[in-house]
Amino acid sequence: MSALFAVIGNPIEHSRSPLIHQTFAEEVGIELTYERIWAPVGGFSEAVKTFIDRGGRGMNVTVPFKVDAFELADQHTARAQRAMAVNTLDFANPEQILGDNTDGVGLIRDLAFHDVPLTGRRILILGAGGATRGVLAPLLAQKPAEILIANRSPERAYGLVEEFSANQDETTLRGCPITDIDAQPFDLIINATPASLSNSLPPLAANVLGAQSVVYDMAYGAEPTVFARWGAEHGARALDGLGMLVEQAAESFKRWHGIEPPTARIRALLREQIEQ
Ligand code: NDP
C-alpha cells in the first residue's frame, strides 16, 4: 500500500493540496495516497488520531486548525515555534508528532520565483493574523529596510512587532492601524487579510504605491483579486498567492519524502484549472 497523507481543514472540499502532492509524486516517481479530511471545529485532535491509526504518515493543516496543530505537536521546528502555528504534521514517529510551518518559506520562494527583491526594500503587510505571523521571520531573514504591519485591530500589529523585534537590527519593524498607513511608497505590499475572499479592499490610499511597487495578495481566485486589481490599476505589478500555495506544499513534500519536487508544471496546471 502506498504511504498515506492528507490535508485537514474546515471547509476542505475545494483544497488543491491533493492535486499538488499527486503531481509532485508523479514528477519524482513515488507513490502516495493523499486525501482531504473535513473535521468539525473542536474535533481536530480526534480526526488526527483516527488518521494516524489508519497509518497516516503526514498531514497538511489549513484554516481553522493551524493553532490546534501547533498545540497537538510534541515537537516543533524552529520556524513553527516562531510562527506558533503548524501547517505540516509529520507522523514518522507517532509517539513524537513533529509540527512544521512551511507557509513562510512558500512566500519567500514565490517572491524569488517572480524576481521580487526584498533586501533593503520597504514592505507593507496588511493583516496581523496567522499568515503574517508565519511569514515574518523568513521575511526579516531577507533583511528588508523596513516592515510596516498595518492591521484593523492595531494592538495585534503592535504585539507582533514586539515579539519579532528581538535580535534583529537591520530592519525597522513597526505597526500601525490599517486606517493610518504612512503616505509614502512601499516596494512591496502584501495583503495577508482574507478581505479579497469577500471581494472587499482594505482601506488604502494610492500614495503607498511607487513606480516600481509590487502588490502580492495571499488570496487567489479565477479572476484577479480586488486587491490585485487595485494595484494594477495604480501601475503596480500584481501577484496572487497561488505560487505560495504550491511552494509551501513543495516544502512539506520535502519534509515527508526527502526530495525537493519541481514546481513549474503544477504552477501552470493550477493556473489553467483555476481560470476554467
Ligand atoms: P487570520 O484570520 O489569522 O487573520 C486575518 C487578518 O486579516 C487579521 O489581522 C484580521 O484583522 C484581518 N482582516 C480580516 N478581515 C479583514 C477585512 N475585511 N479588512 C481588513 N482586515 C481584515 O487569517 P490568516 O492570517 O490565516 O490568513 C490570511 C489570508 O492569507 C487568508 O486569505 C488565507 O487564505 C491566506 N493564506 C494564503 C496562503 C497561501 O498559501 N496562498 C497561506 C496562508 C494564508 P483583525 O486582527 O482586526 O481581526
Side-chain angles (χ1 to χ4, degrees), residues 3 24 37 40 50 74 89 111 114 121 149 198 226 236 238 265 276:
F24 288 158
I37 295 179
T50 305
D74 301 298
L89 288 168
L111 289 169
H114 291 289
R121 305 302 158 118
I149 305 169
S198 51
V226 56
R265 186 159 78 98
Q276 268 171 13

Side-chain angles (χ1 to χ4, degrees), residues 62-63 66 87 103 106-107 126-133 135 150-157 178 191-198 200-203 216-220 240-248:
T62 186
V63 177
K66 290 184 187 181
N87 77 335
D103 283 336
L107 173 68
L126 308 171
T132 297
R133 175 180 278 283
V135 302
N151 199 43
R152 192 170 59 179
S153 320
E155 63 281 4
R156 287 184 85 186
I178 203 162
N191 184 12
T193 78
S196 294
L197 302 178
S198 51
S200 64
L201 190 63
Y216 189 103
D217 202 337
M218 285 194 190
Y220 49 84
D240 71 12
L242 198 61
M244 176 176 174
L245 177 76
V246 169
E247 297 297 338
Q248 62 78 27

Side-chain angles (χ1 to χ4, degrees), residues 97-269:
I97 296 172
L98 179 71
D100 194 4
N101 188 315
T102 65
D103 283 336
V105 76
L107 173 68
I108 301 295
R109 291 220 187 115
D110 193 38
L111 289 169
F113 179 87
H114 291 289
D115 292 321
V116 178
L118 299 172
T119 308
R121 305 302 158 118
R122 298 188 71 225
I123 301 173
L124 170 62
I125 305 180
L126 308 171
T132 297
R133 175 180 278 283
V135 302
L136 262 180
L139 278 175
L140 286 166
Q142 301 297 312
K143 305 189 191 323
E146 177 175 1
I147 297 180
L148 177 61
I149 305 169
N151 199 43
R152 192 170 59 179
S153 320
E155 63 281 4
R156 287 184 85 186
Y158 301 140
L160 287 179
V161 168
E162 198 177 324
E163 198 179 320
F164 283 82
S165 286
N167 302 324
Q168 64 86 26
D169 47 18
E170 302 192 53
T171 304
T172 305
L173 184 58
R174 295 187 297 128
C176 71
I178 203 162
T179 47
D180 190 19
I181 299 169
D182 291 359
Q184 0 172 355
F186 290 84
D187 300 298
L188 171 64
I189 304 181
I190 299 170
N191 184 12
T193 78
S196 294
L197 302 178
S198 51
N199 217 20
S200 64
L201 190 63
L204 287 167
N207 56 18
V208 293
L209 292 171
Q212 306 293 322
S213 298
V214 175
V215 299
Y216 189 103
D217 202 337
M218 285 194 190
Y220 49 84
E223 304 291 328
T225 67
V226 56
F227 174 73
R229 285 205 307 275
W230 170 83
E233 278 160 16
H234 292 91
R237 183 176 172 212
L239 302 169
D240 71 12
L242 198 61
M244 176 176 174
L245 177 76
V246 169
E247 297 297 338
Q248 62 78 27
E251 186 71 4
S252 300
F253 189 93
K254 186 173 148 202
R255 161 154 300 283
W256 295 325
H257 307 287
I259 308 170
E260 200 163 310
T263 58
R265 186 159 78 98
I266 187 65
R267 275 176 177 274
L269 191 65

